[in-house]
Amino acid sequence: MSWTILLQDSLRHWVSARGLALVLVAVLVPPALTGAWVATHQDDVAVTGIAWSPHEPVLGDHVTFNVTVENPTDRDLGPFNVTLRVGFHEDLFGQLRFRDRFNETQRIDGMAPGGTRVVAFPWNTTAGASADRAGSYVVEATVDADDEIQESEERNNHWQEQVRLGLPPGEPGETPELPEPSGGNGTARLEASVDRIRIEPEAPVAGERVNITVFVTNHGPDDLVNATVAVQMVRESPSYRVVDGFLVPEASEYFREFLDSRVVNVSANSTESFGFAVERDLRVAPYLIETVLFTAAVAEEQDMSDNREIAEFRADREVQFVPPPPKATAKDFYRDILSILHLRVLIPLVAILFAAGTLEDERQRGHLPYLLTRPVPRWAMPVSRYLVGSLVAGIAVLLGVVITFLLLLGTPQGTPGFFTWPLLFSWLALLVYGALFTLVGVAVQRPYLVGLLYVLGIESAIEYARTILINDQPIIQEWVSYVSVSYWVQTAFAGWVPGGAFWLEGKAATALIVLIAIGVASIAGAAWWMKRKEFESV
Amino acid sequence: MRSLSAVECERLSRWYGDVIALNDLSASIGKGVTGLLGPNGSGKSTFMSLCVGLLRPSAGRIEVLGEDPWDNPGLLRRIGYVPEAPAPWRHLTGRDALVRGARLTGLDRNDAGRAATEGLRRVGLAEAGDKLVGAYSHGMQQRLKFALATLHRPELLILDEPLLGTDPLARRDLLHLIQDMADDGTSILLSTHVLPDVEALTERILLLHHGRLMAHGEVHEIRDLLDQHPRTVRVATADPRRLGAELWSWDEVLSVEADEDAVTVRTRNAAAFYARLQDHLIERPGFTSVTSPDDNVEAVFEYLVR
């Protein structure tokens, strides 16, 4: 019965100007912001594909890219731009830059609701053709890069594909070779050959280290000693001339580079492998690896024609798909509302207001000497206030989430997956902060001040410090953040992927467990502290 | 087991950091009415806080009705406590405040309603029961606090300065209430720094000064002490000079000072002086009041410790 009165008392705190204002703020602010955003972001335009012909182009082809653009909404769209870029990313002093081979923008006057438009971009690969223009490229189409349309979803404004521009068949030039193994008709007891060459990786990218393995077999009954394996690498450089706008290949040039040689021994009737490496960066080009086994200095073979072997490989450029910088979408906005407004600001402040005054409010109202000298377990005071506060403030906060979600239903992101976890996170954060500030309310003299210092001082400072990087490292150690409830809430929240697995994993799951532990420990601590607390003046 | 003492303490001390509020107090307070006397800062409130379990002893021990009061909600069912603080739940009516208090004491809704009605009747607030507590006068609030403390018929009633700030009428009513409770068999521990308040109720007193027990016994012993030390009496009158000249000739008077509207007299025999003054003033109308600025315990202590 005493419990009932304490719960009623706690509930009565909410029927006050401050309590009602708190409820209204918690309920209305997030939906109001979201509603304003949604009302001005109703349109959408999307790229749904890029096709090209010829499908396997070679240098010199006239390639046409067809970009498909859609208006998925039931609203007319105003004019906007469509941009197509062909190129690749290269690392310039640690930063990726997109290097264009083609960059063109076309203006679309507008689109009807549900309409589809194919925008063609012709690319003449003959222009400025040279052998190193061949290789793989990123093709990227972007609509409305200038944000002329207020979209509810920006992430469908991009589409990326990979296209490989091959080399046309060329006229072979004179291939420089290693000295032809000479001799023959030697002793019948010696017969060796280069069986094959293995190149790893088979399709290296420019700049990647290439390993070459040469397999030598001794077919004769005697051991092969002091023979020499020599390896050279030849880069093929096709050349072209343009005739009537088309590329006409001419004889290729070859640039030879001696790699290494090695004295080898191979036992009778066995095969040995010998490794070589290309120690320098490769260019985007076709290459030949030529290997010759010299045995003449040791003994002459019957047949030396199988002492030479050639293998080919092609160094391509590495294609990286780098997503464009993110723009705000309804989904992002929803996440931001939850992550920043709800979880970092609103919920901690609501928790301070309902929990930190557990004793202080009663002291100011002059109720404390009357409550503490009644036959009521002392721990029931903070616990009852916490339970009622969690319930009332929880309903207010959750109502805010629900209304916010309902406002987003009209957008492409309004799926139920956006609903369940945010509700859970919001309530969990409220419960944990509420428990923590109940403990503060019982344990310290100025609980509101301490609560505000914690949320606006300590937690904000930690949050800010984590964004300051020196040598790519935050200026504070991660363990410093462990004192911040906000850190754990944000870590758990970051693990939430709308539409992803229901259960959180990794750090997010750990954060969830830590939050529950903080909440339980805090409210238990508050009850224990209250039971043991002495009151010098009430 | 029922204790013969209402409160019993042995070498009881309580300090706040370096400040000693109660120092090595050993006393056995029997049942009935006991006055806890002492000037401000003497340790009365600390002693009462120890009695109701708001504080723990720093040293020694205390038992109330035979039990340790610390962390003992069960004992609080047997104690009624009237703190010095204003009446609580000022946003409620007097009746609702009493119902709330009764329910916090463990009564169910019906019993709490009955107890509230009875409480209002007992303290003379039956007609004001539906008014907000915030609208009550100071005297009414004191009576309401008294009703709150006695809703559950406690064995021991602890009153912290219950008469402070009350007008003479309210004071008389409260003293009657306290006396009624005492007559019903409730033990009462009453703290005050005004000696006549205690004299009206009991002969038994406990005297505290600077946290120490200075006297534990009968009130007449204190009264004797009080009567032996020179006391000041101020008589407000329209003609102070004339009255001063008349009083100067009395044997009981040590000194006389007259100002614009009153005569201040120092006397060694207050009882004789008061008796003679009463007769004198009846024969000579024109005086407005007679007060004794040092007719309180504080003055006695000042005298005792000198």
Side-chain angles (χ1 to χ4, degrees), chain A residues 97-331:
Chain A
R97 294 273 185 83
F98 193 79
R99 187 162 170 183
D100 286 329
R101 286 284 189 249
F102 176 81
N103 186 345
E104 195 172 299
T105 297
Q106 293 193 27
R107 186 75 172 164
I108 306 296
D109 293 334
M111 285 182 76
T116 300
R117 178 83 61 92
V118 176
V119 186
F121 291 87
W123 179 30
N124 181 4
T125 62
T126 304
S130 62
D132 65 353
R133 295 255 161 165
S136 296
Y137 289 98
V138 174
V139 184
E140 181 184 273
T142 305
V143 290
D144 192 35
D146 306 315
D147 283 335
E148 294 173 90
I149 296 173
Q150 297 291 295
E151 296 181 73
S152 60
E153 173 60 283
E154 295 274 1
R155 292 189 183 171
N156 56 11
N157 287 18
H158 302 273
W159 195 280
Q160 291 181 323
E161 294 280 357
Q162 180 175 350
V163 62
R164 187 166 185 283
L165 191 62
L167 284 170
E171 297 290 324
E174 183 185 347
T175 310
E177 294 179 349
L178 290 171
E180 192 68 43
S182 59
N185 299 320
T187 169
R189 295 178 64 83
L190 180 63
E191 179 51 45
S193 64
V194 177
D195 288 346
R196 64 188 173 95
I197 302 168
R198 186 173 70 202
I199 296 170
E200 293 175 312
E202 289 179 4
V205 295
E208 191 174 16
R209 180 190 167 99
V210 174
N211 293 312
I212 298 161
T213 308
V214 179
F215 293 84
V216 176
T217 301
N218 179 1
H219 305 280
D222 295 334
D223 291 348
L224 176 62
V225 292
N226 293 329
T228 301
V229 174
V231 178
Q232 73 169 355
M233 184 170 71
V234 181
R235 175 166 61 86
E236 183 183 0
S237 178
S239 60
Y240 310 95
R241 61 193 166 87
V242 179
V243 179
D244 297 332
F246 290 93
L247 213 59
V248 177
E250 295 187 319
S252 296
E253 289 182 273
Y254 294 92
F255 297 92
R256 191 176 70 173
E257 180 183 350
F258 180 74
L259 284 183
D260 202 359
S261 67
R262 188 176 301 171
V263 175
V264 301
N265 300 318
V266 182
S267 303
N269 293 313
S270 65
T271 300
E272 297 276 349
S273 62
F274 304 98
F276 298 86
V278 180
E279 298 290 353
R280 66 170 182 81
D281 290 350
L282 297 177
R283 299 173 64 174
V284 176
Y287 287 88
L288 299 174
I289 297 293
E290 182 186 20
T291 304
V292 176
L293 172 67
F294 295 101
T295 59
V298 183
E300 292 195 348
E301 295 179 67
Q302 281 276 346
D303 178 10
M304 299 194 72
S305 63
D306 55 3
N307 284 26
R308 182 168 180 265
E309 185 66 30
I310 292 177
E312 294 179 37
F313 72 92
R314 183 177 192 83
D316 200 352
R317 65 174 58 86
E318 185 179 12
V319 172
Q320 298 181 66
F321 291 99
V322 179
K327 289 182 180 177
T329 66
K331 188 169 68 178

Side-chain angles (χ1 to χ4, degrees), chain A residues 31-107:
Chain A
L33 291 172
T34 307
W37 196 92
V38 168
T40 55
H41 291 74
Q42 294 280 309
D43 296 335
D44 190 23
V45 59
V47 184
T48 56
I50 305 173
W52 58 89
S53 68
H55 191 60
E56 292 182 353
V58 294
L59 195 62
D61 283 346
H62 292 253
V63 182
T64 301
F65 291 102
N66 291 313
V67 177
T68 306
V69 180
E70 286 184 14
N71 173 7
T73 70
D74 55 0
R75 296 159 61 91
D76 281 319
L77 287 184
F80 60 91
N81 290 331
V82 182
T83 302
L84 185 88
R85 296 200 304 174
V86 180
F88 56 90
H89 288 94
E90 59 183 3
D91 192 337
L92 287 178
F93 306 109
Q95 286 197 327
L96 280 181
R97 294 273 185 83
F98 193 79
R99 187 162 170 183
D100 286 329
R101 286 284 189 249
F102 176 81
N103 186 345
E104 195 172 299
T105 297
Q106 293 193 27
R107 186 75 172 164

Side-chain angles (χ1 to χ4, degrees), chain A residues 373-424:
Chain A
T373 53
R374 296 278 151 182
V376 179
R378 280 205 191 167
W379 56 264
M381 279 178 61
V383 172
S384 62
R385 174 132 170 176
Y386 171 71
L387 290 176
V388 171
S390 300
L391 188 69
V392 178
I395 289 171
V397 166
L398 298 188
L399 220 58
V401 177
V402 171
I403 299 174
T404 306
F405 168 75
L406 291 176
L407 285 170
L408 288 168
L409 267 179
T411 70
Q413 288 78 36
T415 56
F418 273 78
F419 187 52
T420 48
W421 275 104
L423 277 179
L424 182 67

Side-chain angles (χ1 to χ4, degrees), chain A residues 9 374 378 531-532 534, chain B residues 14 53 56 71 100 105:
Chain A
D9 265 355
R374 296 278 151 182
R378 280 205 191 167
K531 191 173 158 61
R532 310 300 300 167
E534 294 184 84
Chain B
R14 170 71 205 193
R56 264 185 300 190
D71 192 21
R100 173 152 303 185
T105 311

Side-chain angles (χ1 to χ4, degrees), chain A residues 1, chain B residues 77 102-112 115 151-152:
Chain A
M1 273 166 283
Chain B
R77 288 183 202 285
R103 299 205 64 195
L104 281 170
T105 311
L107 301 182
D108 64 24
R109 190 181 296 273
N110 292 332
D111 288 346
L151 281 166
H152 54 298

